[in-house]
Each structure stands twice: as structure tokens, then as C-alpha cells.
Amino acid sequence: MSQIRPLVAGNWKMNCLRTDGVALASGLAEKANAKGDLGCDILICPPSTLISDIVTVTDGSAVSVGGQDCHFAASGAHTGDVAASMLGDLGASHVILGHSERRADHAESSTLVRLKAMAAHKAGLQTVICVGETEQERDLGATLAVVNGQLAVSVPEGSTAQNTVIAYEPVWAIGTGRTASVTEVAEVHAAIRAELKIRFTDGDGFRILYGGSVKPSNARELMAVKDVDGALVGGASLKLDDFWQIIESCA
Ligand code: 13P
């Protein structure tokens, strides 16, 4: 693990109604409070419907709250969408952008992700910008080209280590139980770091998270890889004990 303070982020995706979500977030805040300084930052990104409730129950704890997407416009005629300022208004500090599920389900391009990131930064949110190749792209040997291409277009000029986190999430490892090997993770994270250092003066300070079937049993070895500065966790973030064990592995 590098010297950067790690971030462990839970992406709840489209899961949890209020009762379960509030119980999960309260349990996490209680554990974090009982532990004192953990040596890592904790973020949970529930569905936007739960952000307000979860900000309330995590208030004063070490747990930050983020959204899972925002629109690129500041406001206006965009039925069903949520503006970055609206997430901030509820107390969210972060927003995940360009998750592969949004790239697939909503045909989001890296250009759109960049516009969203600019809007989020303008609204004072920190972005967690996701990149990652499909299985087919990996099989074709195109992993680094795909990831570098997404990175180059999705991350706006003017991004800093303070307002931007990168998450490498190989699509074939998401929700499949298949995790990238430490060699695969090391190769891609090193490439992302190199690109960030070329583009940004503080490129060596950006946090680069790994995501894709992170669980208690593999978190420690993944977090030990150079340039892995934390985890973006899906399924395991919905189970308090599993998520807590991952947090402890990263700290
Ligand atoms: P899983 O941890 O369920 O594989 O999901 C990863 C992910 O997509 C987090 O954003």
C-alpha cells in the first residue's frame, strides 16, 4: 500500500429500502465511532432516495456519504435526473461517476462522464470516476488501451487529488465472484498512476481504488498491491460484517 490514506467505498447500487439502509449505515457508524481513527476513510453510496436519511444517521461519524450518479447540468428540464448540487444539498460529499453499469445500462460515454465530473466538482463534490475493461477487451489484449482511453476522456482538466478518486473496476470481475489477480491489478494501477502523473502535477496523490468482487477473503492481498489506495465494494458492502472486515484490511 502506498502512503496515501486509503478510502474504502461501498456502492450499494439499487439496493435497500429505508429500514435496511438506515440499519446498515447506523451499524457502520457505530463501529467506526467505537474504533476511533481507523487509518482509512469510509464512504457509502446508497441510492439517492436514502442519502438524506443516511447522512442523518452517520452525522458526526467517520462515514461519508455519496451519490451514485449525477446529471451534467446544474438544473433544468431533465426528468428523473439528479443534479450534483442536489446531492450536496442532502449532505453528500462524493459522487460515483462512469460506473460500468451506467456505461452499459445508459450508454454513458467517457465524454458524458467528464461533463458530469465537471458539474460535480463545480458543486463541491469529490468524484469517484470508474474505468475498466470488459472480458472481451481483456481477451483481445486491449485492457490498458481501454482503461487509458477512458481515463483520458473521463477525468477533466483541473482535477486534483483532493477532488478526484479513480476506481479501476474490470467489468468481468463485478458481481461475478471473480477477482482480478494481484498481477493484473498491479499492471493496470501502475498504468493509471503513470497517466495521472503525466497529466496532473499532483498525480501521485490521487487515490486509485480497486473494485470487483472485493470480499473479506481477498481484501488484504489486493490492498497490499502498489498503487492500490482502497476499494470500491459492491455486494460485500451490503453486509455489515463483511464490509467492516474489508475496512479493517485496508486500514
Ligand atoms: P461487486 O463488489 O459486487 O463485485 O461490485 C463492484 C462494484 O461494481 C462496485 O462499484
Side-chain angles (χ1 to χ4, degrees):
M1 180 106 57
S2 52
Q3 291 313 303
I4 299 171
R5 186 175 167 90
L7 170 67
V8 184
N11 174 8
W12 290 9
K13 309 192 179 184
M14 198 171 71
N15 292 294
C16 286
L17 299 179
R18 284 172 74 193
T19 308
D20 289 342
V22 164
L24 180 57
S26 311
L28 186 62
E30 267 169 40
K31 278 183 178 289
N33 284 342
K35 184 84 180 182
D37 183 26
L38 286 153
C40 72
D41 293 333
I42 306 172
L43 170 69
I44 49 177
C45 299
S48 52
T49 50
L50 296 186
I51 289 175
S52 186
D53 286 317
I54 288 178
V55 164
T56 302
V57 297
T58 56
D59 189 36
S61 79
V63 180
S64 301
V65 182
Q68 298 176 10
D69 178 50
C70 69
H71 198 273
F72 65 84
S75 63
H78 302 287
T79 303
D81 276 310
V82 175
S85 62
M86 295 171 178
L87 298 175
D89 193 36
L90 295 180
S93 53
H94 292 67
V95 62
I96 297 171
L97 293 173
H99 192 281
S100 63
E101 287 151 14
R102 292 208 59 87
R103 290 179 188 263
D105 291 356
H106 301 275
E108 287 195 1
S109 66
S110 291
T111 300
L112 181 62
V113 175
R114 182 177 72 247
L115 294 175
K116 291 181 174 204
M118 290 163 68
H121 290 161
K122 202 166 173 195
L125 297 181
Q126 296 180 49
T127 53
V128 180
I129 299 179
C130 304
V131 295
E133 81 288 0
T134 62
E135 183 162 35
Q136 196 189 17
E137 289 162 342
R138 176 163 282 274
D139 290 346
L140 287 169
T143 297
L144 295 185
V146 168
V147 168
N148 281 337
Q150 290 174 339
L151 196 66
V153 181
S154 304
V155 181
E157 287 310 320
S159 297
T160 68
Q162 263 62 54
N163 69 14
T164 304
V165 174
I166 307 299
Y168 168 54
E169 297 206 307
V171 178
W172 48 271
I174 294 176
T176 58
R178 287 174 60 199
T179 314
S181 71
V182 292
T183 313
E184 291 165 335
V185 173
E187 183 190 30
V188 179
H189 279 241
I192 293 172
R193 176 70 69 209
E195 286 301 313
L196 292 171
K197 281 166 79 168
I198 289 168
R199 273 189 70 196
F200 303 104
T201 50
D202 60 351
D204 55 0
F206 282 56
R207 293 193 273 202
I208 308 174
L209 313 184
Y210 169 77
S213 297
V214 176
K215 21 188 193 221
S217 57
N218 61 21
R220 199 170 290 280
E221 72 168 354
L222 286 165
M223 294 309 117
V225 175
K226 187 169 184 301
D227 286 316
V228 173
D229 310 305
L232 181 54
V233 186
S237 73
L238 296 169
K239 297 181 198 135
L240 180 56
D241 288 344
D242 284 6
F243 193 49
W244 188 253
Q245 280 184 57
I246 293 169
I247 290 166
E248 293 203 307
S249 305
C250 294

